[in-house]
Amino acid sequence: MTSPAATLVRLKLSLLRGGLRQSGGRRAAFAFSTVLALLFALAQLLGLLLLRGRAHADVVAVLGAALLALGWAVLPLFFPTGDETLDPTRLVMLPLRPRTLVRGLLAASLVGIGPLVSLLLLTGCALAAAHGAAGYAVAVVAVALALLVCVALARTVATANVRLLTSRKGRDLAVLSGLVIAIGSQLVNFGARRLGTGGLGQLQPVADVLSWLPPGSAVAAVRAASDGSYGLALAQLLMTAVGLAALIAAWARSLTRLMTAPDRSALQALDAGSRDRASASGLARLLPGGRTGTVMERSLRYIWRDPKTKAAWVTSLAIGLIVPVFNALQGTGSVYFACFAAGMLGIQMYNQFGQDTSAFWMVALTVSTSRDAYEELRGRALALLLITVPYAALVTVLTTAVLGAWARLPEVLGLSFALLGAMLGTGVWTSARFPYSIPQEGHRNVAPGQAGLAWISIFGGMVSAALLCSPVIALTIWLNVSADGAAWRWLLLPAGVAYGAALTLAGLRLAAPRTASRLPEILAAVSKG
């Protein structure tokens, strides 16, 4: 009789073969990604082997295993559709007990490129810390336990959140994966700079803690056995085994609950809708009356509820803060980097109608004159300003405080507000002149055939905004090089505010009649894809 584990392994292989048979492009992409992943893993393995015998090699090994486990835990949340078998709801109707299903899914999870790459990386971590016969013997057991911990961790997290991952909130989480990558890259850059000055020795306390947490404890056991501390090595291996058992038990409990408990997402959606209506009514009392307040409320609700819009805003907010502040912390930045915050949020003004997608037809029905279009665009601009003005001021103050350049605070704020006004003015005009659709499904931000429009709208608008800001930039340069300019630099703040406001008003007045006259073309453009 064939065991359920063997059947699920064959099912996993059948799914892989079936996916590759769909198209030649998919086979080529799979082959390319496989070769690339294996080359990366082999390069890491070689690098870890070269660390053997060097100072702090065990620190790198333990931290590498811990980071690998973190990746296994986080990636299923952001890419739930990457592996069909991550969704256990496809298997709940099978006549299998949860523990039997756990064993089968655990075996199936060991099939694929991800587990193979992880095996190579864990092998490198173990060998970097090993020396002597005892160390190599423990390394065999440690690598197996660490790999099982990584796989079980991914399965436990995916099963516990499977209904979230298949809901709208789960799709929101997947879209926000770009934010994690952006923030993570800046943190890695910051950490690398700190390590370059302080060395790996400053990570020793972190490695000491992770040496008692699976799977870092498995790698630490290799080092302990190599040094002759067999009792310590046995304790750390037992800690890894206990952690694996706990993960499998939690996984089994989640499977049991998933197979027996009803889906309460509908009730949660009703409760969420009630909360949204209550919060919306409270927000409406704080906004202006008439069409302007209505448009502002709609725009703010889109920012909060639409996955693509939310992802764009959160990413811009994070990067706009990280770039100037982190550069200031590293001592390599300039106080003028604070303008990056206003620029990142000013981009959100471009392609305003495309963010509505096919729902723009409901807005188009309410626009019949240039005055209607003006109020519509003004409401969208005010909603953006409601967030951007305090945010840009906060980032500027933080950057100035880190650098200790308080004397330059007024001029940097003036530049930021002038840039924001220029981007608002050019944004409303390009929204009416070069609209394009934003697909709601997947990670694409431009519909097929409209990439040229997107480039013209965003990058053309940004270049135009930079040119429009040139008078304020020239004034800033002149006041900084002039002998008596320091006493008058504070004037850049009111000048930047007034200039930015004038550019925004000019953009609204130019874009309003064009919007009213091109409604059919705009609707057709944003409804594609």
Side-chain angles (χ1 to χ4, degrees):
M1 179 179 178
T2 305
S3 67
T7 302
L8 288 173
V9 169
R10 289 200 302 269
L11 175 62
K12 177 68 174 287
L13 292 173
S14 298
L15 286 172
L16 289 174
R17 287 194 300 267
L20 295 176
R21 288 173 180 169
Q22 291 184 7
S23 67
R26 176 168 293 194
R27 289 192 294 273
F30 178 80
F32 177 76
S33 59
T34 300
V35 171
L36 193 63
L38 290 177
L39 288 176
F40 170 79
L42 290 172
Q44 297 300 311
L45 174 60
L46 179 61
L48 289 167
L49 290 177
L50 293 175
L51 283 176
R52 294 182 65 230
R54 297 181 180 273
H56 307 301
D58 57 328
V59 173
V60 176
V62 172
L63 291 176
L67 288 175
L68 183 63
L70 179 63
W72 274 92
V74 171
L75 287 180
L77 296 177
F78 292 128
F79 303 101
T81 59
D83 184 355
E84 292 86 348
T85 61
L86 280 175
D87 185 0
T89 57
R90 300 171 182 263
L91 307 172
V92 294
M93 298 304 294
L94 295 177
L96 296 174
R97 293 184 180 276
R99 292 197 176 275
T100 303
L101 193 56
V102 163
R103 289 194 295 270
L105 289 176
L106 185 60
S109 299
L110 296 173
V111 177
I113 301 303
L116 179 58
V117 171
S118 299
L119 178 62
L120 293 174
L121 294 177
L122 289 171
T123 300
C125 291
L127 292 179
H131 57 85
Y136 291 120
V138 172
V140 175
V141 180
V143 169
L145 283 175
L147 180 60
L148 290 174
V149 166
C150 291
V151 174
L153 179 61
R155 287 293 184 172
T156 303
V157 171
T159 303
N161 296 279
V162 64
R163 283 176 175 157
L164 168 67
L165 297 177
T166 54
S167 66
R168 177 175 177 174
K169 289 184 177 180
R171 292 193 293 271
D172 291 359
L173 190 63
V175 170
L176 291 176
S177 58
L179 170 62
V180 175
I181 295 173
I183 295 177
S185 62
Q186 291 294 328
L187 291 175
V188 168
N189 179 45
F190 182 67
R193 288 177 178 270
R194 293 294 298 271
L195 288 178
T197 57
L200 291 171
Q202 59 186 328
L203 294 178
Q204 185 67 55
V206 180
D208 291 340
V209 174
L210 294 176
S211 295
W212 292 99
L213 296 175
S217 54
V219 177
V222 177
R223 180 56 183 266
S226 300
D227 293 341
S229 303
Y230 301 118
L232 178 60
L234 179 60
Q236 289 173 325
L237 285 178
L238 286 176
M239 180 65 70
T240 307
V242 169
L244 176 60
L247 286 173
I248 291 177
W251 183 8
R253 284 197 302 271
S254 297
L255 270 179
T256 302
R257 185 168 60 251
L258 189 66
M259 297 167 72
T260 57
D263 187 359
R264 299 182 181 274
S265 59
L267 296 177
Q268 293 173 355
L270 290 175
D271 294 340
S274 301
R275 290 193 298 269
D276 285 348
R277 285 191 293 272
S279 62
S281 61
L283 176 63
R285 289 194 293 268
L286 302 176
L287 299 177
R291 183 185 183 111
T292 299
T294 302
V295 174
M296 291 179 66
E297 183 180 354
R298 183 199 336 127
S299 298
L300 295 172
R301 186 177 297 184
Y302 276 177
I303 295 172
W304 180 250
R305 299 186 63 182
D306 180 67
K308 286 292 182 71
T309 306
K310 181 191 297 185
W313 270 89
V314 174
T315 303
S316 296
L317 287 168
I319 297 178
L321 174 67
I322 287 172
V323 170
V325 173
F326 270 49
N327 278 281
L329 288 171
Q330 295 171 18
T332 59
S334 166
V335 68
Y336 297 104
F337 279 14
C339 298
F340 196 79
M344 286 299 299
L345 292 194
I347 294 175
Q348 305 306 317
M349 196 63 204
Y350 294 89
N351 196 35
Q352 277 290 307
F353 306 130
Q355 297 175 19
D356 297 351
T357 64
S358 58
F360 178 69
W361 71 269
M362 292 185 291
V363 176
L365 291 176
T366 67
V367 177
S368 56
T369 64
S370 296
R371 182 64 185 176
D372 294 335
Y374 179 82
E375 292 179 351
E376 174 72 26
L377 292 171
R378 182 180 62 185
R380 293 174 184 246
L382 288 175
L384 189 143
L385 287 172
L386 194 63
I387 301 173
T388 306
V389 170
Y391 171 79
L394 174 63
V395 173
T396 304
V397 171
L398 285 176
T399 306
T400 305
V402 172
L403 294 173
W406 291 106
R408 297 191 179 276
L409 179 61
E411 63 181 282
V412 177
L413 280 174
L415 276 174
S416 294
F417 293 144
L419 175 62
L420 179 60
M423 297 192 77
L424 290 179
T426 57
V428 293
W429 189 85
T430 57
S431 294
R433 183 63 182 85
F434 304 108
Y436 59 91
S437 177
I438 301 177
Q440 292 299 292
E441 299 297 330
H443 287 69
R444 292 183 305 169
N445 290 317
V446 182
Q450 293 187 327
L453 285 174
W455 278 87
I456 294 174
S457 175
I458 296 177
F459 291 99
M462 291 171 63
V463 171
S464 300
L467 292 175
L468 289 173
C469 283
S470 56
V472 179
I473 296 174
L475 179 60
T476 303
I477 296 173
W478 181 74
L479 289 176
N480 276 276
V481 299
S482 175
D484 301 327
W488 301 98
R489 285 204 296 253
W490 64 270
L491 288 175
L492 286 169
L493 177 55
V497 172
Y499 188 71
L503 291 178
T504 301
L505 290 174
L508 290 172
R509 294 194 177 278
L510 290 174
R514 181 173 290 275
T515 300
S517 63
R518 298 188 72 248
L519 281 177
E521 293 89 342
I522 296 174
L523 182 59
V526 302
S527 300
K528 290 183 178 180

